[in-house]
Amino acid sequence: MTDPADPRLEELFRRLEELTLAQRTLAERVSRLESFPAPAPAPSPAPVPSPATAPESAPVPAPGPVGEQGARAPGVETAPAPAAAGGVPALPEGEDFLSAALTDPTVLIRFAPLAGRTLVALGGGFLLRALADSGVLPVRVGVVLGLAYAGLWLLLAARSRPESGLASAVFHSLGAAALAFPLLAETTVGFRVLEVPLACGLVASFGILMALVARRLASSLIAWMGLLGAVAAVLVIAVGTHDLPRPALALLALLFSLEVVAHPTRGGSWRWPPALALDAVLFFALAVSTRAGGPPEGYAPFSPNLILALGSVALVAHLGAVARRTLRLGRPLAILDGLHPAALVLVLGYGSAASPAGWAVGTLQATFAVLCYAGAFWFIDRRHGSGAAFHYFAGAALVLAVSGARLLLGEVALGACCLGLAVLTSLLGARYDRASLRLHAAVYLSVVALSGPMAARCAQGLFGNALGTWPPFDRLSGAVVLLSLVCYAIMLLFKRRREEAGWYTRIPEAVLAAWAGLGLAGGTARLLLPSVAGAPGPAADTGAAAALRTGTLAALCVALAALAKRLARPELRWLTYALLVVGAAKLVLEDLPGGRPATWFLGLALYGGSLLAVPRWVRPER
């Protein structure tokens, strides 16, 4: 027999007791884990057998370790969230990152390793800076090594797999942008190591590379980091070196490179930063180059013609890019597609007014106005219909035609050109029942009325100071009044084929009728005021002048109401309502303060008579 006092038995008993204690501790831990509730996994739909292959009585599977369908078996843990390569967590998808971080603080902790890696990358950049400052490395060598170091981090971002999550790629791209763009800006502005053309080219190239990485990973966040960094670096170089044409050229190259490298579905907003920066730099450059007395001290001299050429190239390239995206690729229009060319037209108009090369810009804009009209009506309308692209290029033609004519022609010639275009577009719009052309006719006539003297002359006759002096009613103003009547009559002669269209299609006719009515009323008042009230002049009878003007507005209200009923024109009824409101305001603001009892009687009687007569012809639609 074995001796009970054998030390080997004592060792065996001691180990058995330790094993029993460990098993008991493990059982307690498992019971505590099972006490926490866990979300049930989504049940997978069972396949439905077809009647031909399904057996008459399918056997019911016995419950396995899961128990009831949708319930988790005790002690069975769910799989952890997917992580990127190397154990890096993925960015939260399908939910807002901020709300996820507020509800679960561990979300931020999960990205601490990535943030630490980015800080280490920035530390390496500062190490290169310290070596260059101490003279260990030449400055140019330090710049080259810094750009290579930033490119390495961008390469690591590009090698990330999209299916593994974008967190690592985003932090790598952030480190690359934080290394490259400040380096290029500081070495150009602060140390004057890089020439401005080289620095701007490197900034634009690095921004394009980041856009390519963003396209590969389908990440707008990476694209915005790269584009905002590139735009900021270019602006710092432009302000710090007082060199404006080269940064403008870099922004232009960056903007239109995005037409190729931007993501096909997510890249629509990527063009905002370089487009807005390009508009601002062009405007500032034209303001500096056309400044009286020359550019301020420190600015390199440059010709405004160069900036006008860059702006013209940007405008033409933008129209071509929009045509490519909408007509060839079938992508929708964006807000920037309208704002950017409008800003360019304004900038070019501002610069051309003070430059002898304005005729060249005007000729270019007039040429592209013709091309846009031809493309809209003879190509887009026939192949793609009257959609957004048609209205876009037709509107671009209108803006370019007005801007080009203003740069090429004087005031009288501009008025004659726009009036001719108004008559032509009203004829074509009425003949072919095109609402866009009718709208263009109203715009062309409004341009002449507002930019010329017509609107001011007519408003003086109806609301101007009777004791002052007024300029004469010139021929251009009379031509605007006459041709507004002609254009409105043209639209009346051709009956619409689409009467079911909305009320907004009546806006062109309402504008033309408003200009005609304002011209007739203002011209009549100016014709009668000298003989009735001795106006304008210091001896004018202000009460009689106010009564005469009120009678003119009342007569116009009655005439419009009668024509609205006779011709069944809703836009004339709208103008009647508006004139009644204007007449009431005029009684309160002019007739009562500046008149006397006799003129009060005349003004109230005339306006009251219009209130009695108008409802007989104009009644609310039911």
Side-chain angles (χ1 to χ4, degrees):
M1 291 183 62
T2 305
D3 186 3
D6 190 348
R8 291 179 296 177
L9 287 178
E10 293 179 358
E11 179 69 18
L12 179 62
F13 291 149
R14 186 179 62 79
R15 294 199 175 188
L16 284 176
E17 290 177 358
E18 292 178 355
L19 181 61
T20 304
L21 179 61
Q23 187 272 339
R24 188 177 304 162
T25 304
L26 180 61
E28 291 176 356
R29 291 183 178 179
V30 170
S31 63
R32 284 199 299 269
L33 289 175
E34 291 177 353
S35 64
F36 288 105
S44 58
V48 180
S50 61
T53 59
E56 295 182 0
S57 60
V60 179
V66 176
E68 297 181 2
Q69 185 179 4
R72 190 185 63 152
V76 178
E77 297 182 358
T78 58
V88 178
L91 285 174
E93 297 182 0
E95 62 177 348
D96 183 64
F97 179 79
L98 180 60
S99 62
L102 292 176
T103 55
D104 185 10
T106 60
V107 171
L108 297 177
I109 302 299
R110 286 160 47 196
F111 296 104
L114 294 175
R117 186 188 305 172
T118 304
L119 293 178
V120 170
L122 294 178
F126 281 109
L127 174 62
L128 292 175
R129 167 69 182 274
L131 293 176
D133 289 344
S134 61
V136 176
L137 290 176
V139 179
R140 292 183 180 273
V141 175
V143 172
V144 173
L145 292 178
L147 288 178
Y149 186 55
L152 175 63
W153 284 95
L154 187 60
L155 179 63
L156 293 176
R159 290 174 60 86
S160 300
R161 292 178 298 175
E163 64 273 9
S164 303
L166 297 176
S168 181
V170 168
F171 277 89
H172 286 154
S173 301
L174 177 61
L179 288 168
F181 296 124
L183 170 67
L184 292 172
E186 185 180 18
T187 53
T188 306
V189 177
F191 299 110
R192 306 286 179 172
V193 174
L194 297 178
E195 299 293 333
V196 175
L198 177 60
C200 291
L202 290 174
V203 168
S205 300
F206 205 86
I208 294 171
L209 288 176
M210 291 197 67
L212 284 171
V213 174
R215 177 190 175 97
R216 179 184 179 276
L217 301 176
S219 172
S220 295
L221 181 58
I222 296 177
W224 275 87
M225 285 192 299
L227 294 173
L228 288 177
V231 167
V234 170
L235 293 179
V236 169
I237 292 173
V239 174
T241 61
H242 294 166
D243 191 340
L244 300 177
R246 294 174 180 85
L249 182 60
L251 290 172
L252 181 63
L254 178 61
L255 174 61
F256 291 104
S257 297
L258 293 176
E259 296 294 334
V260 180
V261 305
H263 193 274
T265 58
R266 302 186 181 185
S269 63
W270 297 4
R271 290 180 289 271
W272 277 95
L276 297 180
L278 176 62
D279 297 337
V281 171
L282 289 177
F283 176 78
F284 186 68
L286 286 172
V288 169
S289 60
T290 58
R291 177 176 176 265
E297 184 180 358
Y299 281 87
F302 57 90
S303 172
N305 298 339
L306 176 61
I307 306 301
L308 292 176
L310 289 176
S312 301
V313 170
L315 180 61
V316 172
H318 180 83
L319 293 176
V322 172
R324 171 181 172 271
R325 289 198 306 269
T326 57
L327 303 180
R328 183 179 177 182
L329 303 179
R331 297 175 188 171
L333 289 167
I335 297 177
L336 185 65
D337 295 331
L339 291 181
H340 182 51
L344 287 175
V345 168
L346 291 176
V347 170
L348 291 175
Y350 167 77
S352 300
S355 173
W359 65 271
V361 178
T363 303
L364 178 69
Q365 292 183 358
T367 303
F368 271 86
V370 175
L371 293 177
C372 287
Y373 265 130
F377 286 95
W378 276 276
F379 177 76
I380 301 176
D381 187 35
R382 294 182 179 183
R383 296 196 178 186
H384 302 273
S386 300
F390 167 81
H391 291 292
Y392 177 85
F393 284 99
L398 171 66
V399 173
L400 291 174
V402 173
S403 177
R406 189 186 68 83
L407 294 176
L408 292 173
L409 306 173
E411 181 181 355
V412 177
L414 172 64
C417 178
C418 289
L419 289 177
L421 290 174
V423 175
L424 177 62
T425 49
S426 62
L427 277 170
L428 294 176
R431 173 64 181 82
Y432 296 102
D433 197 15
R434 303 305 298 262
S436 57
L437 288 175
R438 293 196 298 268
L439 179 62
H440 288 198
V443 172
Y444 283 128
L445 199 139
S446 299
V447 167
V448 184
L450 293 173
S451 63
M454 182 265 178
R457 302 290 190 271
C458 295
Q460 282 175 343
L462 292 174
F463 311 105
N465 183 14
L467 300 176
T469 57
W470 300 344
F473 200 80
D474 58 347
R475 295 180 180 179
L476 182 60
S477 301
V480 174
V481 177
L482 177 61
L483 290 181
S484 61
L485 286 171
V486 170
C487 292
Y488 187 75
I490 289 172
M491 296 183 185
L492 290 180
L493 293 178
F494 292 91
K495 185 178 180 180
R496 290 171 174 241
R497 295 190 297 270
R498 294 189 290 269
E499 290 294 337
E500 69 278 2
W503 60 269
Y504 50 86
T505 61
R506 298 282 182 180
I507 292 178
E509 288 93 332
V511 172
L512 293 173
W515 286 123
L518 176 63
L520 291 175
T524 302
R526 290 178 68 103
L527 182 64
L528 297 178
L529 277 174
S531 58
V532 173
D541 187 346
T542 57
L548 175 63
R549 291 166 168 177
T550 301
T552 304
L553 291 176
L556 182 60
C557 280
V558 174
L560 288 176
L563 289 174
K565 182 178 181 181
R566 176 74 176 176
L567 303 176
R569 305 298 296 187
E571 66 273 6
L572 298 181
R573 185 170 63 250
W574 303 343
L575 295 178
T576 303
Y577 297 151
L579 277 176
L580 289 176
V581 175
V582 172
K586 182 184 174 303
L587 276 176
V588 175
L589 298 177
E590 183 185 21
D591 292 48
L592 296 181
R596 55 186 184 276
T599 59
W600 292 341
F601 164 73
L602 289 175
L604 292 173
L606 292 171
Y607 183 74
S610 66
L611 290 178
L612 291 174
V614 164
R616 296 178 178 272
W617 291 296
V618 179
R619 297 186 182 277
E621 293 182 349
R622 296 181 180 179

